[in-house]
Amino acid sequence: MTAGPAPLAVAEAPLSLAPAPPPSPTRTERWAERTADRLNPIVVKEIRQGLRTKVFWVCFALMLFACLVLSLVAFAAARERAFDSGGREFFYAYFFCLGVVQFFVIPYSAYRSLAREREEETWVLLTLTGLGPRRILLGKLGSFLVQAMLYGSAAGPFLVFSYYLNGIDLPTILLVLALGAAYTAFLTALSVSAATLAEQRFLRALTHFGVLGVLIGGTALGLSVAYAITEDSSLLRDDDFLPAMGGCLWAMLSYGALLFEAAAARLSLPTESYARGVRLAFLVQAVLSAGIGVYAWVHENLDEEVALVAQLLGCIHLGVVGLLLATDVDGMVGRHRVGTRIFSLLRPGALRGYRLVMVVLGLSSALWGTLCLVSPGSVEPEELSALIACGAYVALYVSLPILVTRLIPFPPYRAPAVARLSALALLFLAGGAPPLAAAIITGDPAEPAFNVFNPFVGVVNFAERRADSGWELLLLCAVAAISALAADHVLARRDAPKSAQAERAPSPEGA
Amino acid sequence: MSLLEVKGLTRLFGRLRAVDGVSFTLEAGVILGFIGPNGAGKSTTMRMLATLDLPSSGEVLIDGHSAIEEPDRARPLIGYMPDRYGTYEDMTVFEFLDFFARAYRLKGKERRERVQSVMEFARLTELKDKLTSELSKGMKQRVALGRTLLHDPRLLILDEPADGLDPRARIELRELLKALAEEGKAVLISSHILTELSEICDACAIIEQGKLLAQGPVSEILARAQGGGATELCLRLAGAGEESLSWAERLLLEQPGVSKVSADGAGLRVRLEPVGGQGAPGWVEEASARLLRQLIDAGLPVCSFQVREADLEDAFMSVTRGRVQ
């Protein structure tokens, strides 16, 4: 074996991994080190990297410059008007500068950060350290929220300044800022979650454009809501306004958590129990939302309409989120099978995801149905029919795509994405074909007999008592129940480990 | 007990058997070269060993811990370097290593010492304040190797680490890997550059179309490659004119086992095959000694006579068929 033609640096000294004495740190450095040791390393890394980017400094400088110019204009205008009621416009102008950064730049940077991590495969290196996807994502999210706080603290003095210009009250300022902060966190969670969606280059590009579109729309929406609240301070005195804002905050918080857990599940390694976090978040969201609904029902003097609205919203939510949970991949890794029982619904696999959705659907329908029945006001039969029909439609359109895709003999068509696309296609078919056929044959597109399986027209028909006899509801419930049982049966059959290969096939892509 | 035991490892992608019943073992202090053409299943196998992917069947034991059933126990024992180095462009070398040391939950003094020793080992101390984007490919590769060593793993899985490196960087890498093996670490390394592997590996495994075709100590694999087939001799004659060369050519062609003689500048190239198809171990030495004696007895002025030794490239070419999946 030869050593090489020229003397090399590596040959000059013996190679050894024995620790060398490092320079001893000062007292302040030791304190800083102890503090940094307690922090999530991703937060330290991301802040370090983030503060080095041109994007951060350019946006920071532009925002400050804009706020400064606005302050000079505000000061001049206020002197002319003798400090009379100019605060509202200038508060919104400052918030606009901050909002563009908070609602667009921060979430987009978070998206790019994670997407780059996956494109350049540094993600693999991170997962091997044992940090785990949840901790890594939490670090990403946390670091970008820290950056958002830096922007916020820079714009803070200007926002306070607008209060002294008169014309805007402190509760309005605080409400707009609180909602803005929650909205930033939600959009950042949404963006981070979107970064986990695509693997292939084409789909990544598509997702990129999608995220850009959503963030532009989201920024416009956030700034519009802020404008509406700022302009009409009487909104705060409206009885319905604060509950509505509370509902929005809850939705942002709970869906943000759900998106976060979904992202963590998608990034989990196949050996990990990826489903637990996202299903737990789903369950907690369902339970707390039910609690809020019951509180609203009591608060509204046991009004049955609250229960009906809650069932409708719950079914829409279960139809979308439930479909995503139920269309997981079949089976699970052998080591997770140990101790798995019939109600181990938080463990991986399509069967347990499907059963969890059906259990939540059944319990929520039973809860809102019971509340309707015990409401002191007389419950109309059509209201009860609509309530039952809502649940039946969800059961039907979550079960059918699973059945369709699992019965196809070609394995690639059993992928979660195919089941989700099938659900969309089935809904499109069920929503479009019956009204067309009814219009041609009877002249009435909403004819009940034709639209029994149409979830869009069907619910309205049941609620408006267009479906006079009970056979439509019976038929719908029977078909939904048969579909649900058949889907459960097919999934149970496919969940059973036939061989080592079947046992180790699943991966978290379906989460 | 072997540090790494791979038993019947299989990975299916639909109907494609990317890895098909691969089994081998790796002891501490041994460098094992994992050789195969593109698409042979090397990276897929390595990803499964690194707990990043699940095999369809088979078992991977790392120091007795199953990489499939107990990945959390197996992971701290593994240092994995993928074919893309994966460095953060906007971090300095020190920041990069310090971040990963934190991610591996090394704290305070222990972390400082570990980062320092890894930087010294990988010759990164002078580069510590440089951004990784400013480094050459060889330097980045050393940073990536340093990152792999931060948590002091016992098994190193290096996927094409020498790919795209200049000769100096390759020699540096070779020295680093040898030093690691001397420290008792098991190294599994894949590469296309077979001459590099033959110089550093103690053993090698050849894979094609997901199947392990040959494995064992490099000397055994080479002997096997040489043992079965033809070999080549190069000889030169002192002050030889055309006449003496053609005389030598005629003489050589009359000898048993010589199938082809061709001119090679001022010398001759002789293709020697075992008599009767399959040569016994040591037939090359015997046959070449006989030829040399014949040439000298014939009065030919032989000034150079060399048996071209089989190398990993020969072994690779004799074992594989150039099939891809």
Side-chain angles (χ1 to χ4, degrees):
Chain A
M1 216 174 290
T2 53
L8 290 166
V10 285
E12 285 163 9
L15 296 165
S16 170
L17 269 174
S24 50
T26 63
R27 205 170 150 185
T28 322
E29 281 173 344
R30 275 201 301 273
W31 176 84
E33 189 177 272
R34 273 201 304 275
T35 314
D37 276 349
R38 289 194 195 102
L39 284 173
N40 183 332
I42 304 285
V43 175
V44 180
K45 167 193 158 267
E46 288 292 335
I47 292 176
R48 204 181 244 171
Q49 284 181 296
L51 297 187
R52 257 185 212 150
T53 56
K54 281 183 194 150
V55 173
F56 179 82
W57 289 111
V58 168
C59 291
F60 200 82
L62 280 177
M63 190 192 75
L64 276 183
F65 180 71
C67 288
L68 201 69
V69 170
L70 280 169
S71 299
L72 293 175
V73 174
F75 186 70
R79 281 184 66 180
E80 277 175 22
R81 291 195 290 187
F83 293 93
D84 182 29
S85 72
R88 191 180 299 157
E89 291 81 14
F90 283 103
F91 170 78
Y92 182 71
Y94 292 131
F95 187 80
F96 185 90
C97 299
L98 180 65
V100 170
V101 176
Q102 303 273 38
F103 302 156
F104 185 81
V105 178
I106 292 285
Y108 182 70
S109 303
Y111 166 78
R112 279 306 305 149
S113 168
L114 185 56
R116 207 166 36 237
E117 204 91 65
R118 299 190 78 209
E119 283 160 15
E120 290 170 10
E121 292 181 25
T122 43
W123 175 261
V124 171
L125 309 179
L126 288 181
T127 48
L128 284 176
T129 61
L131 277 176
R134 193 170 288 107
R135 200 145 173 249
I136 296 170
L137 285 178
L138 209 58
K140 290 256 173 211
L141 204 59
S143 64
F144 282 97
L145 293 181
V146 168
Q147 286 186 39
M149 278 165 63
L150 282 176
Y151 282 112
S153 60
F158 297 103
L159 293 164
V160 173
F161 171 64
S162 67
Y163 173 69
Y164 290 104
L165 291 172
N166 295 325
I168 188 160
D169 51 1
L170 208 53
T172 306
I173 292 178
L174 292 177
L175 179 73
V176 171
L177 291 181
L179 283 174
Y183 194 52
T184 301
F186 172 72
L187 286 178
T188 310
L190 180 75
S191 306
V192 164
S193 182
T196 66
L197 283 179
E199 298 286 343
Q200 294 88 355
R201 189 171 286 185
F202 170 71
L203 290 176
R204 273 183 193 157
L206 216 62
T207 311
H208 194 160
F209 285 117
V211 167
L212 277 175
V214 167
L215 288 181
I216 290 170
T219 306
L221 178 70
L223 292 174
S224 306
V225 171
Y227 181 76
I229 297 172
T230 314
E231 277 302 294
D232 189 1
S233 54
S234 66
L235 278 175
L236 280 176
R237 289 183 286 278
D238 190 330
D239 286 346
D240 293 335
F241 180 72
L242 283 180
M245 286 299 109
C248 286
L249 270 174
W250 168 240
M252 283 193 276
L253 180 74
S254 63
Y255 280 104
L258 204 57
L259 286 168
F260 176 84
E261 287 296 342
R266 283 191 64 82
L267 292 175
S268 295
L269 291 172
T271 45
E272 291 164 356
S273 179
Y274 59 88
R276 188 181 164 78
V278 69
R279 289 186 193 170
L280 204 59
F282 167 73
L283 210 55
V284 169
Q285 187 194 33
V287 170
L288 292 180
S289 298
I292 292 169
V294 172
Y295 173 79
W297 177 70
V298 173
H299 188 259
E300 293 294 318
N301 301 320
L302 314 184
D303 187 355
E304 78 276 5
E305 278 196 13
V306 173
L308 284 169
V309 170
Q311 167 73 346
L312 184 66
L313 292 177
C315 282
I316 293 170
H317 164 77
L318 278 173
V320 178
V321 180
L323 182 74
L324 295 175
L325 285 179
T327 48
D328 197 350
V329 284
D330 294 317
M332 61 174 154
V333 181
R335 70 187 181 115
H336 296 315
R337 282 196 187 280
V338 182
T340 298
R341 294 185 179 81
I342 192 165
F343 284 112
S344 303
L345 301 180
L346 301 183
R347 298 204 178 186
L351 175 70
R352 285 158 291 279
Y354 177 75
R355 281 181 179 165
L356 178 68
V357 173
M358 287 300 132
V359 166
V360 171
L361 177 66
L363 287 176
S364 75
S365 296
L367 172 71
W368 303 125
T370 310
L371 293 191
C372 261
L373 289 172
V374 300
S375 293
S378 59
V379 184
E380 301 293 332
E382 62 267 24
E383 289 177 337
L384 216 52
S385 299
L387 189 142
I388 294 167
C390 277
Y393 282 125
V394 174
L396 181 65
Y397 287 101
V398 170
S399 307
L400 271 185
I402 290 171
L403 264 179
V404 169
T405 49
R406 293 314 194 272
L407 292 177
I408 295 173
F410 310 109
Y413 295 105
R414 291 178 206 138
V418 180
R420 289 159 197 171
L421 286 174
S422 308
L424 276 179
L426 283 168
L427 276 174
F428 186 74
L429 199 69
L436 197 67
I440 293 166
I441 296 166
T442 66
D444 178 13
E447 170 61 38
F450 280 82
N451 288 289
V452 176
F453 299 111
N454 180 345
F456 310 108
V457 180
V459 171
V460 180
N461 279 348
F462 284 117
E464 289 181 353
R465 212 178 178 180
R466 286 179 57 108
D468 288 334
S469 57
W471 74 264
E472 289 101 338
L473 189 63
L474 263 178
L475 179 67
L476 174 66
C477 289
V479 172
I482 291 166
S483 305
L485 287 173
D488 188 89
H489 177 71
V490 169
L491 286 175
R493 218 176 48 191
R494 294 193 54 78
D495 189 68
K498 289 174 197 141
S499 62
Q501 181 192 328
E503 203 166 314
R504 287 179 184 168
S507 73
E509 64 173 300
Chain B
M1 187 173 62
S2 300
L3 187 61
L4 171 67
E5 271 182 79
V6 182
K7 297 176 194 165
L9 200 67
T10 301
R11 181 67 168 101
L12 305 175
F13 292 110
R15 287 179 187 173
L16 177 78
R17 296 180 88 86
V19 178
D20 191 0
V22 166
S23 302
F24 63 90
T25 58
L26 178 57
E27 314 292 331
V30 173
I31 303 178
L32 174 73
F34 204 42
I35 309 167
N38 286 333
K42 298 188 298 291
S43 295
T44 309
T45 306
M46 287 183 145
R47 281 180 65 83
M48 287 190 282
L49 302 186
T51 74
L52 291 170
D53 195 6
L54 269 181
S56 304
S57 64
E59 183 60 282
V60 178
L61 294 175
I62 297 163
D63 201 19
H65 300 293
S66 167
I68 298 146
E69 300 296 324
E70 314 168 274
D72 299 336
R73 288 190 174 202
R75 234 167 256 153
L77 303 170
I78 304 167
Y80 173 63
M81 192 164 115
D83 49 356
R84 289 181 71 177
Y85 305 143
T87 48
Y88 297 109
E89 301 284 288
D90 43 5
M91 285 174 102
T92 65
V93 170
F94 173 78
E95 285 169 350
F96 180 78
L97 293 175
D98 182 67
F99 161 65
F100 272 100
R102 283 172 198 274
Y104 278 115
R105 293 185 176 81
L106 297 173
K107 289 191 191 301
K109 195 179 167 203
E110 188 193 2
R111 187 184 67 244
R112 282 200 309 276
E113 284 180 353
R114 191 69 199 160
V115 170
Q116 186 77 17
S117 68
V118 161
M119 282 200 301
E120 278 173 21
F121 175 77
R123 312 287 175 199
L124 295 168
T125 315
E126 284 177 12
L127 307 173
K128 63 182 276 195
D129 296 322
K130 270 200 162 190
L131 288 176
T132 58
S133 56
E134 296 168 0
L135 301 180
S136 68
K137 202 162 183 180
M139 290 169 181
K140 273 187 190 171
Q141 189 263 358
R142 280 186 354 234
V143 174
L145 185 64
R147 189 222 18 100
T148 312
L149 298 172
L150 279 170
H151 60 300
D152 197 17
R154 296 184 60 198
L155 168 66
L156 294 174
I157 301 172
L158 314 176
D159 196 357
E160 304 277 358
D163 198 26
L165 297 187
D166 60 35
R168 175 171 282 263
R170 274 187 209 157
I171 294 166
E172 285 176 351
L173 172 71
R174 197 171 67 197
E175 297 300 320
L176 292 175
L177 294 182
K178 277 184 193 166
L180 287 168
E182 278 165 20
E183 289 203 1
K185 298 195 187 302
V187 183
L188 177 66
I189 175 173
S190 75
S191 180
H192 287 119
I193 305 152
L194 302 181
T195 45
E196 283 295 319
L197 283 184
S198 63
E199 286 188 13
I200 55 169
C201 292
D202 306 300
C204 70
I206 302 176
I207 186 172
E208 188 179 42
Q209 284 194 312
K211 284 189 177 133
L212 210 57
L213 302 179
Q215 60 162 315
V218 172
S219 53
E220 261 181 37
I221 300 260
L222 293 181
R224 225 181 297 164
Q226 191 143 36
T231 193
E232 216 172 49
L233 304 171
C234 297
L235 67 96
R236 291 185 72 183
L237 303 176
E242 273 192 24
E243 222 174 272
S244 48
L245 277 176
S246 60
W247 178 30
E249 192 178 335
R250 276 198 307 277
L251 183 72
L252 286 166
L253 281 170
E254 285 167 10
Q255 304 306 315
V258 175
S259 61
K260 188 183 172 190
V261 179
S262 53
D264 183 19
L268 291 172
R269 198 176 277 265
V270 183
R271 187 174 167 81
L272 194 59
E273 283 175 5
V275 181
Q278 192 70 21
W283 73 271
V284 176
E285 287 80 5
E286 276 178 30
S288 52
R290 199 178 58 241
L291 275 186
L292 181 60
R293 201 180 310 120
Q294 291 284 340
L295 291 168
I296 291 169
D297 289 351
L300 283 163
V302 181
C303 65
S304 162
F305 187 90
Q306 194 182 11
V307 178
R308 205 175 73 79
E309 298 281 346
D311 56 18
L312 268 184
E313 279 179 9
D314 296 314
F316 180 73
M317 293 306 287
S318 71
V319 169
T320 59
R321 293 176 192 175
R323 291 171 304 190
V324 287
Q325 302 195 71

